[in-house]
Amino acid sequence: NAGVTQTPKFRVLKTGQSMTLLCAQDMNHEYMYWYRQDPGMGLRLIHYSVGEGTTAKGEVPDGYNVSRLKKQNFLLGLESAAPSQTSVYFCASSYSWTGPREQYFGPGTRLTVT
Amino acid sequence: AQSVTQPDIHITVSEGASLELRCNYSYGATPYLFWYVQSPGQGLQLLLKYFSGDTLVQGIKGFEAEFKRSQSSFNLRKPSVHWSDAAEYFCAVGRLGPGNTGKLIFGQGTTLQVKP
């Protein structure tokens, strides 16, 4: 049981390049989330998904796209990377329920855009 | 709108001393509250959670937190800090209600430094 895994762990991009971050979970969770973490700003929600084939915008969605084609995977895409997207990205997942459940986090992806 | 405030950005305590990390939330109904810990270079790990019932909740690693509705607070405590507790701590709040998506709102985090 690996929990939540993220690929890659580190990446350096040039401005304008694109990339996809992969998140996978093996806990059969319905809900999945992408956050970015910046110093002094805590975690901010980028996009989330409440089930296979569904996605929704979070607090800071601009410049990112997501897809949830399979229940266990949640992809985060950057079509044209900008230096402002330099950050640490975390994926999380949780059970669905009538109320909030604890989220399980991956180890993070450190992205630098030059 | 929901919000979470962690007033202390950075705290330093001596090993063996007691610890209290503050968390205040703004929410109109009964909140669902969480504390997470993040060690350097790692993801977030759940320390404890409060959904309902006893307002004093116990978590892992000897941590506890107390929910005080009158003060809108959910402070994290530990009676004796160990050097391995040095990390960043996040308080988070979620809501129950129609259209619930399990989303959590996180505070800005408190960095704990432990002096030998």
Side-chain angles (χ1 to χ4, degrees):
Chain A
N1 189 337
V4 180
T5 57
Q6 293 183 231
T7 308
K9 289 185 168 51
F10 302 94
R11 185 73 186 268
V12 178
L13 287 180
K14 295 188 187 308
T15 297
Q17 287 184 322
S18 64
M19 77 164 295
T20 300
L21 283 67
L22 171 64
C23 175
Q25 52 93 5
D26 60 2
M27 296 173 282
N28 202 35
H29 286 168
E30 285 291 334
Y31 294 172
M32 296 187 74
Y33 311 86
W34 274 108
Y35 295 92
R36 60 179 289 172
Q37 183 180 31
D38 302 291
M41 304 193 75
L43 278 78
R44 293 182 291 170
L45 183 65
I46 305 171
H47 285 280
Y48 64 98
S49 167
V50 298
E52 182 178 317
T54 74
T55 63
K57 294 180 180 179
E59 182 186 358
V60 288
D62 293 343
Y64 306 95
N65 56 76
V66 288
S67 63
R68 183 108 181 261
L69 299 180
K70 294 183 179 181
K71 185 178 183 179
Q72 63 268 34
N73 295 338
F74 195 27
L75 279 62
L76 177 71
L78 286 72
E79 290 186 348
S80 180
S84 60
Q85 295 178 302
T86 293
S87 187
V88 181
Y89 292 86
F90 287 99
C91 176
S93 68
S94 70
Y95 292 106
S96 62
W97 189 55
T98 53
R101 301 291 283 182
E102 59 265 38
Q103 294 181 8
Y104 295 80
F105 284 80
T109 295
R110 185 173 295 275
L111 174 67
T112 301
V113 182
T114 61
Chain B
Q2 300 172 82
S3 67
V4 178
T5 301
Q6 293 180 243
D8 304 305
I9 296 173
H10 192 276
I11 283 183
T12 300
V13 299
S14 298
E15 191 168 15
S18 63
L19 170 70
E20 183 170 32
L21 301 182
R22 296 184 290 164
C23 173
N24 295 102
Y25 65 89
S26 172
Y27 182 57
T30 300
Y32 288 69
L33 296 158
F34 307 83
W35 274 101
Y36 284 85
V37 61
Q38 183 183 28
S39 298
Q42 305 294 317
L44 277 71
Q45 180 185 21
L46 181 70
L47 280 176
L48 47 78
K49 61 190 177 188
Y50 172 78
F51 286 173
S52 65
D54 193 346
T55 57
L56 184 64
V57 293
Q58 303 297 321
I60 62 171
K61 305 185 180 188
F63 285 92
E64 66 178 25
E66 186 171 13
F67 170 59
K68 293 186 177 180
R69 184 188 301 274
S70 62
Q71 298 177 19
S72 297
S73 69
F74 188 56
N75 294 348
L76 182 71
R77 301 194 293 247
K78 187 169 184 179
S80 178
V81 169
H82 187 263
W83 64 267
S84 60
D85 293 324
E88 189 160 18
Y89 292 80
F90 292 94
C91 181
V93 64
R95 71 173 179 88
L96 171 70
N100 169 63
T101 57
K103 288 193 291 183
L104 300 180
I105 304 298
F106 286 83
Q108 294 176 311
T110 297
T111 299
L112 173 65
Q113 183 180 359
V114 180
K115 293 191 301 184

